[in-house]
Amino acid sequence: MKEIPIKKYVRYLFGIMILVFVLNKFYLRPFVLENELPLPFQIVVLSIPNFIEAIVGTFILTGILLQLKEQFSKTLGNVKDKYLHLIAVGIAAIYVLSQEFKFHNLGGNNVYDLYDVIASIIGLSLTFGLIQAFGFVKESKAEKLNP
């Protein structure tokens, strides 16, 4: 199976999001909650996982869909990447928002919170905007010469 060449910013942002998630879970969140910092800090540390879940989920789904397009190029080759990006964001949105509204509990013990919904929507929107603005896959030299 041919690997799709993912842009560096996607790889870096993916890694940074995982690191922020871990740091938030084990250090920042306990510190903020134990020291009873002001409400805005509590909202941020409690909603960061939803924000990150939306970003990471969209990146993973985008990669999977682009890999499927590559694998099944005869049937999916004509589908524009923009549509695949929209589908990835849509599937990620269904997952993160349906979890928030208690349609399923695949992500663990979840409590409805409007701020979590907002964080998820911001993460989904930001990721879609980044992918549209900067792309997801590196262009090959042939594609640059023959757009």
Side-chain angles (χ1 to χ4, degrees):
M1 181 179 326
K2 184 179 173 187
E3 182 179 324
I4 58 171
I6 298 171
K7 289 194 170 187
K8 282 186 179 181
Y9 90 90
V10 173
R11 293 176 189 263
Y12 290 145
L13 189 56
F14 187 90
I16 289 168
M17 289 295 103
I18 299 298
L19 180 63
V20 169
F21 179 84
V22 170
L23 291 175
N24 182 65
K25 180 173 179 94
F26 295 111
Y27 298 106
L28 190 57
R29 181 188 284 192
F31 176 80
V32 169
L33 296 178
E34 287 171 7
N35 293 305
E36 298 179 11
L37 292 180
L39 187 60
F41 291 107
Q42 293 181 29
I43 291 170
V44 169
V45 298
L46 292 171
S47 296
I48 282 176
N50 296 79
F51 175 76
I52 293 173
E53 181 180 49
I55 293 171
V56 169
T58 302
F59 279 161
I60 290 172
L61 288 166
T62 300
I64 289 170
L65 290 173
L66 290 170
Q67 190 68 53
L68 287 171
K69 179 182 175 182
E70 178 74 29
Q71 187 71 27
F72 301 105
S73 59
K74 289 182 182 178
T75 54
L76 298 176
N78 293 331
V79 177
K80 292 184 178 183
D81 287 352
K82 182 176 185 174
Y83 297 132
L84 293 179
H85 301 158
L86 278 170
I87 292 168
V89 170
I91 294 169
I94 289 168
Y95 174 77
V96 298
L97 295 175
S98 64
Q99 177 180 331
E100 204 53 47
F101 293 117
K102 300 278 192 215
F103 294 138
H104 65 84
N105 198 24
L106 296 175
N109 188 12
N110 198 21
V111 177
Y112 173 78
D113 182 9
L114 178 62
Y115 296 114
D116 290 349
V117 173
I118 293 168
S120 295
I121 292 170
I122 291 170
L124 292 162
S125 302
L126 177 69
T127 308
F128 181 72
L130 285 172
I131 292 172
Q132 288 304 297
F134 302 112
F136 191 86
V137 177
K138 295 178 197 173
E139 291 182 15
S140 67
K141 291 178 184 177
E143 289 173 337
K144 289 180 183 177
L145 296 174
N146 301 317

